[in-house]
Amino acid sequence: MSGKAKRDGVADIKMSDIARHAGVSPMTVSRALRDPASVSEKMRRKVDAAVREFSYLPNRIAGSLSSKRSNVVGLIVPSIQNSLYANMIQAISDVLRANGFHLMIANSGHRLDDEEALVSALLAQRVCGLVLHNTTHNKRVRDLVAKTGVPVIETGNLPAEPLDMVVSYSNFEAARAMTAHLGRLGYRKIGFVTLPLRDNDRSEERRRGYFAALKELGLPADPSLVLEAPGGFSEGADALVRLIQTHPGLDAGFFAGDVLAVGALFECQRRGWAVPGRVAIASFDDLDLLRHAVPAVTTLRIPRHEIGRRSAELLVNRLLGAPAERVRIDVGFEIVQREST
Amino acid sequence: MSGKAKRDGVADIKMSDIARHAGVSPMTVSRALRDPASVSEKMRRKVDAAVREFSYLPNRIAGSLSSKRSNVVGLIVPSIQNSLYANMIQAISDVLRANGFHLMIANSGHRLDDEEALVSALLAQRVCGLVLHNTTHNKRVRDLVAKTGVPVIETGNLPAEPLDMVVSYSNFEAARAMTAHLGRLGYRKIGFVTLPLRDNDRSEERRRGYFAALKELGLPADPSLVLEAPGGFSEGADALVRLIQTHPGLDAGFFAGDVLAVGALFECQRRGWAVPGRVAIASFDDLDLLRHAVPAVTTLRIPRHEIGRRSAELLVNRLLGAPAERVRIDVGFEIVQREST
DNA sequence: CGTTCTCTTGGTATCGCTACCATCGTATAA
DNA sequence: TTATACGATGGTAGCGATACCAAGAGAACG
C-alpha cells in the first residue's frame, strides 16, 4: 500500500506561520479563511496579505482530521472508458465543484469484489459520500455502508432494496417500452442483443423487459433470438449477422447496450442491407453518434446527465444538512423514433 | 467551501481501540496493518482478529497527516466527456490502483484560470502527484508547482519548457505527417478543420503542422482552407460543407479533432458524395468508431492508453523513491491508412 | 558466562488544523 | 451610570494516526 509519496517540507508554511506574520492568532486565520464574515475587516486584511505573501495553501488533510469533515466524494463506475458514464461523471463533477467538493473516481470493472475493495479504500480515505453505479452489492459493502452511515447514491437501476438514495431509470421498463414500440411499428421477429448478464442487474432487467413486451404483444418468446455480446462495434455486427443467419425472417434488432447498434448498422451498410427495409435497428442510450448516423438510429434516451446532476445535488444537500431520508428518484426515459425503424 | 459533511461517530473505531482489544500497543497495530512482516506471527493474529471483529478501517486522513504522505494523485483534464481522455484516465486509474494510489479527477473546461483553481484545490488536499492534460499554464500554476515540488506529469503535447515530466506525442509532427501523407496520396487541395485554437496549444500545434507540410509539398498555404470548429458531429459536417462551397475543388479534408471527421463522413453519406471519390477524409486520434465506419477512416493513431499508463508509472516510480529528474517521453504516433483516403 | 547484536514491542511527541470555551471591549438597555 | 448582551479574538486540547527513540528478550559470539 501507499508509497513514499513524501511531500517534503519545501516551503511548507502552516497556519501558525501565517498567524505570526499577520500578527493575529491561528484561530483568526482559520476563521478568516473559512468564513471571512466572521472576522473584522481589519483582521481579514492582515490575514489575506500574509496568505498572499506566502501563497499559503491550507492543509485540508489536517482540517479534515480536526473537523471530522471531508469534502471528497467517492464514485465507483463499472468502467471509465464509456461515454455514458462520462456524461454522468461530468455532471457530478460540475455540481460537486460548484459546492466546494471534490471527486475521487474508481472503476470496478463490473466485479463485485473489486467494488468491495474500492468501497473500503474510499471509506478509509473518509470520503463524505459515495456514488455507486451499481445496485447489487456484496454483503460486506452493505454492512460497511450501514455501519459508517455515509450518504450513498445508487444509480444505473432502480433496486428493490436501496442502500440509501437512488437516482435512476428502470431498465426493465425501458427495454419493455422499446420492444413494445417495435411491435407497434409492425415488427414481428425482434432479435435482442444484450451486454453480458453476469453480475449485471441492469442487463438482466433489460432482458426481462424484452420478454415482458413480447408476451404483451402476443409474440413467442424465443430464447434463440437473444444474444449476449460484450459491448463494441464488431460484436454488434457479429450479433446481427448471427441472428439473421439463424432467423432469416428477422425484421428488427434491439441492441441493448453500448455501440452494438452502430456496429450492426455499419455491417448493414457493408452488406448493402437496407435499414429499416431489410432489418430495423433500435438502440439503448442516446449517444450523439446515433442521431448523426445514416440512417439515424431509433433509441432510448436515458438522461445520463440529469442522473449525474441530481445524484450530486442530493448528496450535496444531505452533506449540507438535509435530513437523512431514503429518496428514490426515477428520472424516466424516452423513446426517440428515428429513421432506422 | 466544504459542507457539513460530518461523518458522525457511528461505530467510529480507532486504532487505539483495536490495540486495546487485541492486547497490544497502537504501534503494533499500525505496523501489523502497514507492514505485516515487521511484527511477529502472534501479534499479527491478534491484530487481524480484532480488526476483523470490528471491521476496522484505518483513517487515512490521520495517517496522511502524521506521515506527511498521501496516496492520492490529482488529474486535471479539459473535459471528462471525451473518450480520448477516458482511455487515458482508465489507464492511469488502473496503474495507480495496482500500486495503492487513488485518483482525484477534475476538469478545467479548457480554461486556464479554472486549471489554476483546481491545482490549488488539489494541492490543498495534499495530493502526492499531479497529471495535467495541458502544457500551457498560468504563472501561479507554475509557481505553485515549483514551490511545492509535487511531481507533475504533463500530457497532450510536448512543451518546450516542461514543468517536470512529460509523456506525450507531438501534435505538430502528427498533423504534419498526416498532411504529408495526404499529399503523397495525390491530394492537392486539402482542407483543415481544427478545434478552437484559443488557450489550446495542441490545436495550435496541429495547425502549424498542417501548414508546414503544405509548404514541404509545395502547395499554397490558403488560410481559407482552415476552419475552426468546436468538436462534434454536426460541426464536422458543417465544416465540410462550407469548405466545399468555398472551394469546389477540395479533394481532401483533414479533421484534427474529436469526431469531426465522422460527422463529415455522415454528411457525405447523406449527400451521396463518394468518399474518397468526391472528397477524402482523414482524422486525428484512433477512435474505435473510425475503424468501423463505412468507409473506414484514415487517421492518426495516438497511443492514449499508453500515455496514461506511462504517466502513471512514472509518477508511481517517483513517489516510490525514483530520483526527481526531468523526463520527456515521446510516445509517437502512427498513420493508419484506411479506405477514406 | 558475560557481552554484543538483532529483532520486537511500546511510549511519547508531533502532524496542522478546528472545536470549544474563556475573555475582552463595546454597544445596548435600564 | 451600571448592568447585560453580543461580537470579535485568543488559548488549549484534541482529531487518529505515524516517527523516532528506548527498552526488553533472545540469539550468537568470544
Side-chain angles (χ1 to χ4, degrees), chain B residues 180-249:
Chain B
H181 176 72
L182 292 173
R184 224 173 297 125
L185 291 175
Y187 299 104
R188 282 294 164 265
K189 209 169 184 80
I190 305 167
F192 181 70
V193 183
T194 169
L195 295 176
L197 297 161
R198 187 165 176 284
D199 275 352
N200 191 332
D201 45 356
R202 304 180 286 291
S203 300
E204 186 52 63
E205 289 281 290
R206 292 178 190 181
R207 187 174 61 169
R208 278 187 46 231
Y210 162 76
F211 281 122
L214 288 188
K215 192 167 173 191
E216 289 160 16
L217 290 166
L219 295 174
D222 179 352
S224 72
L225 277 169
V226 174
L227 248 45
E228 207 175 317
F233 293 96
S234 319
E235 286 72 14
D238 286 358
L240 179 64
V241 171
R242 274 192 290 150
L243 276 175
I244 291 214
Q245 280 170 351
T246 42
H247 300 272

Side-chain angles (χ1 to χ4, degrees), chain A residues 239-257:
Chain A
L240 178 65
V241 171
R242 274 193 289 151
L243 276 175
I244 291 214
Q245 279 169 350
T246 42
H247 300 272
L250 190 88
D251 54 11
F254 176 17
F255 296 82

